[in-house]
């Protein structure tokens, strides 16, 4: 099994955040190579600043991934914006931990080079996300989309 060094930083006032142990479990099931990563949970102000400064989008988003290095091991940061994650989970009527797990998996896949810029890339990434999230014991995060697109 590949080695994982994972730091978890809580830079938020949110009280319903997953434990470092939960983040480690989610990351470990996603990783494919030796990896050193930081998961940072932030409030809306920091989330907005990072999204604005690095992506040119002036709003807080649910997850940002910063890949730093691929050799000699995979290194990077995953930033989760707690208020956005909480609002999305409530709006989608899904358990908060399930949404955090999904977004952690999503961020880890980005660290591994997966993307969703084109339809084939998005399909592959969503398939992997679904498989991993289901393995973690949560519902398929894309199930409702698949149900809508399934012909009768």
């Amino acid at each position: 099994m590949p080695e994982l060094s994972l730091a978890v930083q809580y830079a938020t006032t949110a009280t319903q955040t997953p434990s470092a142990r939960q983040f480690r479990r989610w990351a470990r099931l996603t990783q494919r190579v030796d990896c050193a990563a930081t998961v940072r949970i932030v409030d809306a102000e920091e989330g907005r600043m990072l999204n604005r400064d690095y992506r040119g989008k002036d709003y807080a988003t649910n997850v940002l991934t910063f890949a730093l290095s691929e050799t000699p091991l995979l290194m990077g940061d995953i930033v989760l914006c707690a208020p956005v994650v909480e609002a999305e989970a409530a709006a989608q009527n899904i358990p908060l931990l399930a949404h955090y797990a999904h977004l952690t998996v999503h961020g880890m896949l980005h660290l591994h080079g997966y993307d969703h810029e084109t339809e084939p890339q998005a399909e592959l990434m969503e398939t992997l996300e679904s498989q991993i999230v289901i393995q973690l014991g949560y519902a398929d995060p894309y199930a409702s989309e698949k149900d809508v697109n399934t012909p009768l």
Side-chain angles (χ1 to χ4, degrees):
M1 173 175 271
E3 290 193 28
L4 174 65
S5 172
L6 184 73
V8 180
Q9 300 174 349
Y10 295 91
T12 180
T13 58
T15 58
Q16 297 183 38
T17 55
S19 68
R21 185 176 184 183
Q22 288 168 310
F23 281 117
R24 187 167 285 105
R25 178 174 174 254
W26 302 333
R28 182 167 298 291
L29 195 57
T30 308
Q31 80 177 103
R32 303 293 182 256
V33 297
D34 290 348
C35 182
T38 298
V39 173
R40 182 173 173 85
I41 304 91
V42 301
D43 282 329
E45 183 179 336
E46 184 174 345
R48 180 179 180 182
M49 179 201 63
L50 290 168
N51 201 27
R52 182 191 63 228
D53 292 354
Y54 290 94
R55 296 182 62 230
K57 298 182 181 196
D58 194 19
Y59 58 87
T61 190
N62 54 12
V63 60
L64 293 167
T65 303
F66 300 96
L68 305 173
S69 172
E70 293 180 2
T71 57
L73 73 155
L74 192 62
M75 295 176 64
D77 299 327
I78 299 168
V79 178
L80 296 160
C81 185
V84 175
V85 176
E86 290 173 8
E88 288 176 347
Q92 296 170 33
N93 197 30
I94 57 176
L96 184 57
L97 279 181
H99 199 41
Y100 268 112
H102 174 218
L103 294 174
T104 302
V105 167
H106 184 89
M108 284 293 291
L109 287 174
H110 274 309
L111 280 183
H112 281 75
Y114 291 93
D115 214 330
H116 44 80
E117 295 299 315
T118 67
E119 188 63 32
Q121 290 173 333
E123 286 179 17
L124 174 60
M125 191 166 174
E126 288 176 10
T127 297
L128 290 170
E129 287 174 48
S130 293
Q131 291 171 349
I132 295 166
V133 169
I134 289 168
Q135 258 188 295
L136 288 167
Y138 300 108
D140 182 346
Y142 297 106
S144 61
E145 293 174 22
K146 291 174 185 170
D147 294 342
V148 169
N149 295 323
T150 303
L152 299 175

